[in-house]
Amino acid sequence: MISGKLRPVFKLTESCNLACKYCYQEGKLDSGYFMSEATLEKALSEVAENTQGTMHLLWFGGEPTLYGIKRFARAMELVDKHFAGRTVYHGMQTNGSLITEEWAALLAERKFAVTVSVDGPQELHDRQRPQRTADGRPKGSFEKVMQGIKNLHNAGIFPRVSAVITPEALLQPVELVTWYEKQGFHEMDFVPSTRYHNGGFEVEVNGTQFKEFILKVCERWLELNNPKFKVRLLSETARKLAGHAPHYCKLEGRCSHFVGFGWNGDVYPCDEFSGMKEFCLGNIHKNTLKELMTSEKAIEFFRRWAEIPPECASCKWLHFCRGGCPWERQLSGNPDRPTVMCEAMKAVFERLSSEIPGSRERWKAE
């Protein structure tokens, strides 16, 4: 067994039907790369053999619905085969534009938790997330996405919504949070834009910019006072400040339980690093999952990520965030430095701690 819980992410394809302005899959959108049944079965088998009890399986892409509903239904049969007698929870990250009534019914039957990418009102969303077209002319995806969400609602699934915050979106914090709440979404997530360009990642929205944005979002969220509407970063921070375990990996303080499977069987320590050769642990067609997750390379990654950046040593929130997400630390240019979102995160901690009695003392005493 691999120590600790394991949360696998299956990247079924690198292809996508949209052409988002900030896409990190640059040059791969029409690659035609799809995970074969043999690779999927090998991955499921390895996960099943190295875990016990309840499992959470995450299905990503590219756009995972491009895998096709028949192949995806077959994937669910393979899950039943390898996890017989065990409770399995599923999650999917999708752009929502291809969610038909048939797709929604299958996901509802399996009780999927679904996250759909919606970047805001139609004008903004369509500029940032156009469809890929044969003639190369921009065509908005908003109407198809909202229809996909409607199909999910009709099937009994109320998805979380994820919004990528670009320099343009930064200018609309209050308008955006008001719009999402008005649409009736139960939970949404603001994700600062990082764009893959010219062979590397560019931070389009830095910590200072996101700090100003998220604090305005926070004030509007508190003002709305709607318990049925959550902004993930804010609600999960509040949950942890109140002394409860968060349902958000960036606040859990450890990363060694994630594992990402690429379409070809390549294994990564987290989906965020998927496709980056320097972080590939190997391939499940050549080594067992246990060998890969306990290899010297993997151990070194996890050891380094578990270390506290020296600059964080005197921070009063050290025991709260443990130096932040390793991926965001990598974006700062060096995983031994604080996360690129450090300034924004500390501002959120400070603001929300003033709303929760006893939270400052609780975390100071840790």
Side-chain angles (χ1 to χ4, degrees):
M1 293 291 169
I2 299 171
S3 61
K5 66 180 180 178
L6 196 66
R7 187 161 295 190
V9 180
F10 302 96
K11 290 184 71 72
L12 296 175
T13 178
E14 290 186 343
S15 294
C16 186
N17 61 311
L18 300 189
C20 302
K21 301 301 184 182
Y22 42 72
C23 185
Y24 72 97
Q25 296 279 64
E26 185 181 57
K28 300 178 182 178
L29 295 176
D30 55 358
S31 63
Y33 294 146
F34 291 89
M35 185 178 286
S36 68
E37 182 173 317
T39 296
L40 177 57
E41 180 147 35
K42 177 64 174 174
L44 290 170
S45 174
E46 289 287 337
V47 170
E49 289 176 10
N50 285 281
T51 58
Q52 295 177 343
T54 300
M55 282 301 303
H56 291 78
L57 306 181
L58 303 175
W59 305 88
F60 286 16
E63 171 49 42
T65 55
L66 285 176
Y67 201 60
I69 195 165
K70 291 184 179 179
R71 276 199 290 187
F72 196 76
R74 174 57 181 160
M76 295 299 100
E77 292 176 357
L78 294 177
V79 170
D80 292 341
K81 172 184 173 182
H82 291 285
F83 294 90
R86 296 169 62 176
T87 299
V88 179
Y89 295 103
H90 297 276
M92 175 183 282
Q93 173 77 47
T94 173
N95 63 43
S97 65
L98 301 177
I99 298 291
T100 61
E101 292 180 355
E102 187 179 10
W103 263 109
L106 174 59
L107 297 175
E109 179 186 354
R110 293 283 174 160
K111 296 181 172 57
F112 264 70
V114 179
T115 299
V116 179
S117 297
V118 183
D119 279 0
Q122 184 166 5
E123 184 178 356
L124 175 62
H125 177 97
D126 281 347
R127 279 200 301 273
Q128 297 190 169
R129 303 182 64 83
Q131 298 180 60
R132 288 173 57 78
T133 58
D135 59 11
R137 296 181 181 178
K139 183 179 180 182
S141 62
F142 182 84
E143 291 183 358
K144 285 191 173 183
V145 172
M146 296 305 284
Q147 181 60 52
I149 291 174
K150 182 178 180 181
N151 291 337
L152 289 170
H153 283 175
N154 291 340
I157 296 176
F158 297 90
R160 175 193 296 145
V161 173
S162 179
V164 175
I165 300 305
T166 61
E168 182 178 2
L170 278 175
L171 304 176
Q172 308 173 52
V174 174
E175 294 85 351
L176 283 173
V177 73
T178 301
W179 184 83
Y180 285 109
E181 192 263 353
K182 189 175 182 179
Q183 299 306 305
F185 295 124
H186 291 184
E187 183 177 14
M188 60 89 49
D189 196 12
F190 288 118
V191 182
S193 174
T194 55
R195 177 171 175 259
Y196 193 77
H197 184 61
N198 292 331
F201 282 91
E202 296 178 350
V203 178
E204 282 200 307
V205 174
N206 63 39
T208 301
Q209 293 170 318
F210 191 64
K211 170 188 172 181
E212 296 172 357
F213 172 86
I214 200 65
L215 285 179
K216 291 177 182 177
V217 167
C218 184
E219 294 306 322
R220 179 56 178 153
W221 178 64
L222 291 171
E223 182 182 276
L224 287 169
N225 193 28
N226 181 356
K228 294 183 178 180
F229 175 64
K230 298 177 180 179
V231 176
R232 191 183 185 198
L233 172 60
L234 304 180
S235 60
E236 291 300 317
T237 295
R239 179 180 173 84
K240 187 167 184 178
L241 284 167
H244 306 293
H247 305 301
Y248 189 30
C249 66
K250 292 183 181 181
L251 294 176
E252 288 182 0
R254 61 191 181 91
C255 291
S256 59
H257 57 277
F258 278 92
V259 58
F261 293 95
W263 68 273
N264 61 351
D266 283 347
V267 175
Y268 298 87
C270 173
D271 176 66
E272 295 282 17
F273 297 97
S274 180
M276 301 176 70
K277 292 182 179 179
E278 62 268 38
F279 292 98
C280 182
L281 301 179
N283 191 286
I284 54 168
H285 291 299
K286 297 179 180 178
N287 296 94
T288 67
L289 182 60
K290 184 175 182 180
E291 288 172 340
L292 296 174
M293 293 295 287
T294 58
S295 66
E296 290 184 8
K297 187 174 185 179
I299 291 172
E300 176 59 20
F301 282 151
F302 298 140
R303 181 199 64 75
R304 194 174 184 188
W305 294 344
E307 289 184 346
I308 304 300
E311 295 173 52
C312 298
S314 60
C315 179
K316 68 178 180 179
W317 296 108
L318 172 62
H319 295 290
F320 193 88
C321 78
R322 304 284 303 171
C325 169
W327 165 244
E328 292 179 352
R329 280 159 57 182
Q330 191 73 35
L331 288 175
S332 72
N334 187 328
D336 297 325
R337 295 189 59 206
T339 162
V340 71
M341 289 296 133
C342 179
E343 189 175 347
M345 296 300 286
K346 285 194 291 187
V348 168
F349 301 158
E350 287 284 353
R351 178 64 186 91
L352 290 179
S353 67
S354 68
E355 297 287 328
I356 302 172
S359 61
R360 291 177 184 268
E361 290 72 20
R362 179 182 299 111
W363 289 102
K364 189 182 296 182
E366 284 288 333

